[in-house]
């Protein structure tokens, strides 16, 4: 979503946008998990399957390279992402069901409430590990610059509840 444009991350000593850091870290994670079946789901206005479950970590890394701002829209459909992951695992008859859910915001679409989707995930035996992305700004910086907290939209409470509910 557009919030991934926020330049509040450091990479090699320089300030960069969130998407840049996500791409770097995601590619590293994929490479370290070579041999595991992994897929990639984007979510913004809706959830979209970008890469189905595969062991081809090189192709997955190419898909990560193609991620761009607004590719899936501008909102945050967190609950839909969980639901689509459940469908993907069911269609593949996956024995082990693990989702890593990364978000820098809160669900703004509300087609499927994230906690209701997490409850369905729990019933299906899916674990969800959550990652909240956003930099905290020191209070002095806020007062002196008149800026805003770039992680103000991060819904850590819901992310924690999803992980706890599903055993992630």
């Amino acid at each position: 979503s557009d919030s991934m444009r926020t330049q509040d991350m450091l990479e090699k000593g320089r300030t960069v946008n969130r998407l840049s850091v996500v791409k770097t870290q995601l590619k590293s994670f994929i490479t370290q998990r070579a041999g595991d079946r992994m897929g990639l789901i984007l979510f913004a206005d809706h959830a979209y399957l970008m890469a189905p479950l595969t062991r081809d970590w090189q192709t997955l890394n190419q898909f990560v390279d193609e991620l761009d701002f607004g590719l899936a829209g501008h909102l945050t459909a967190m609950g839909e992402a969980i639901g689509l992951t459940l469908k993907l695992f069911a269609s593949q008859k996956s024995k082990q069901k693990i989702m890593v859910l990364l978000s820098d915001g809160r669900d703004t679409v509300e087609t499927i409430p994230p906690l209701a989707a997490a409850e369905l995930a729990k019933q299906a035996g899916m674990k969800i590990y959550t990652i909240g992305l956003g930099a905290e700004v020191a209070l002095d910086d806020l007062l002196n610059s008149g800026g805003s907290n770039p992680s103000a939209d991060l819904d850590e409470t819901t992310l924690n509840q999803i992980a706890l509910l599903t055993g992630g």
Side-chain angles (χ1 to χ4, degrees):
S1 62
D2 281 341
S3 58
M4 293 299 270
R5 294 180 195 270
T6 305
Q7 293 205 347
D8 61 350
M9 301 280 123
L10 282 177
E11 192 170 59
K12 297 181 182 175
R14 62 184 180 90
T15 304
V16 295
N17 62 55
R18 293 174 182 180
L19 184 59
S20 176
V21 170
V22 166
K23 288 167 104 173
T24 300
Q25 295 302 313
L26 189 54
K27 288 172 66 174
S28 174
F29 177 80
I30 289 168
T31 302
Q32 291 174 30
R33 304 299 308 179
D36 289 351
R37 285 188 335 142
M38 293 177 281
L40 185 60
I41 292 176
L42 304 181
F43 60 99
D45 294 356
H46 295 285
Y48 302 94
L49 179 63
M50 185 164 188
L53 292 173
T54 182
R55 285 186 172 83
D56 185 352
W57 61 272
Q58 292 169 321
T59 299
L60 278 174
N61 277 334
Q62 288 176 332
F63 278 115
V64 171
D65 282 335
E66 294 173 13
L67 295 175
D68 202 1
F69 305 109
L71 191 62
H74 306 287
L75 302 173
T76 305
M78 192 181 306
E80 277 189 36
I82 296 169
L84 183 55
T85 303
L86 280 167
K87 284 183 180 180
L88 178 64
F89 284 144
S91 71
Q92 297 284 314
K93 296 182 177 33
S94 298
K95 293 177 186 167
Q96 189 176 33
K97 303 174 197 93
I98 297 173
M99 175 183 191
V100 177
L101 175 66
L102 183 144
S103 179
D104 67 344
R106 67 184 67 251
D107 189 280
T108 55
V109 177
E110 299 179 357
T111 52
I112 303 170
L115 292 177
E119 182 59 44
L120 293 173
K122 176 184 175 183
Q123 292 170 14
M126 184 169 92
K127 285 187 179 186
I128 303 175
Y129 293 90
T130 59
I131 299 172
L133 181 68
E136 300 254 356
V137 175
L139 183 57
D140 290 343
D141 293 340
L142 287 173
L143 295 174
N144 292 332
S145 70
S148 61
N149 182 345
S151 64
D153 287 333
L154 179 60
D155 188 355
E156 290 180 272
T157 301
T158 298
L159 290 175
N160 284 329
Q161 289 174 331
I162 289 169
L164 288 171
L165 182 64
T166 62

